[in-house]
Amino acid sequence: QVQLVESGGGLVQAGGSLRLSCAASETFFNLYTMSWYRQAPGKQRELVAFITSDYNTNYADSVQGRFTISRDNAKKTVYLQMNSLKPEDTAVYYCKTGVTGRGSWGQGTQVTVSA
């Protein structure tokens, strides 16, 4: 089981930016596709973005052009840079190994965007 620890959440005004980090315990982190998900109150958890082991990226339509996922294999960390934040981005953000199916999840970090 890979241990994942997210950080970087907080309260920000609409139009602001935050950078989330997810540090992994896995020695072979570089081999994993890594994902960011989010879950807003009363809604299902949704995929925000993922990055493959060879640095290909994919984004949900709702964040395309505003969010950037990246990774630093030497630090075993994946990042989510979030710009031009909107109130509808308010959610708990989770990182995950892989995209779908089984994988390890972090504990989540709260992002709150005020209007």
Side-chain angles (χ1 to χ4, degrees), residues 2-43:
V2 178
Q3 302 298 316
L4 301 172
V5 179
E6 299 100 335
S7 61
L11 173 64
V12 65
Q13 289 187 331
S17 298
L18 284 173
R19 188 176 83 152
L20 306 183
S21 300
C22 171
S25 63
E26 173 60 46
T27 300
F28 298 106
F29 172 81
N30 59 299
L31 300 180
Y32 284 82
T33 290
M34 297 296 298
S35 304
W36 283 99
Y37 279 76
R38 67 185 180 187
Q39 187 166 21
K43 295 187 177 181

Side-chain angles (χ1 to χ4, degrees), residues 30-96:
N30 59 299
L31 300 180
Y32 284 82
T33 290
M34 297 296 298
S35 304
W36 283 99
Y37 279 76
R38 67 185 180 187
Q39 187 166 21
K43 295 187 177 181
Q44 289 190 332
R45 193 171 295 190
E46 64 173 352
L47 177 64
V48 174
F50 66 84
I51 183 167
T52 66
S53 58
D54 54 355
Y55 297 90
N56 291 314
T57 60
N58 187 275
Y59 299 91
D61 289 344
S62 58
V63 307
Q64 181 75 47
R66 300 188 298 121
F67 290 11
T68 302
I69 189 171
S70 62
R71 65 191 299 159
D72 184 334
N73 288 337
K75 295 182 178 180
K76 294 186 286 186
T77 299
V78 60
Y79 303 98
L80 186 68
Q81 177 67 44
M82 305 186 295
N83 298 329
S84 302
L85 282 161
K86 304 175 181 180
E88 51 263 45
D89 295 318
T90 295
V92 178
Y93 284 71
Y94 301 88
C95 63
K96 178 184 180 301

Side-chain angles (χ1 to χ4, degrees), residues 89-112:
D89 295 318
T90 295
V92 178
Y93 284 71
Y94 301 88
C95 63
K96 178 184 180 301
T97 57
V99 180
T100 60
R102 293 184 62 186
S104 297
W105 292 86
Q107 83 288 351
T109 186
Q110 176 70 47
V111 171
T112 303

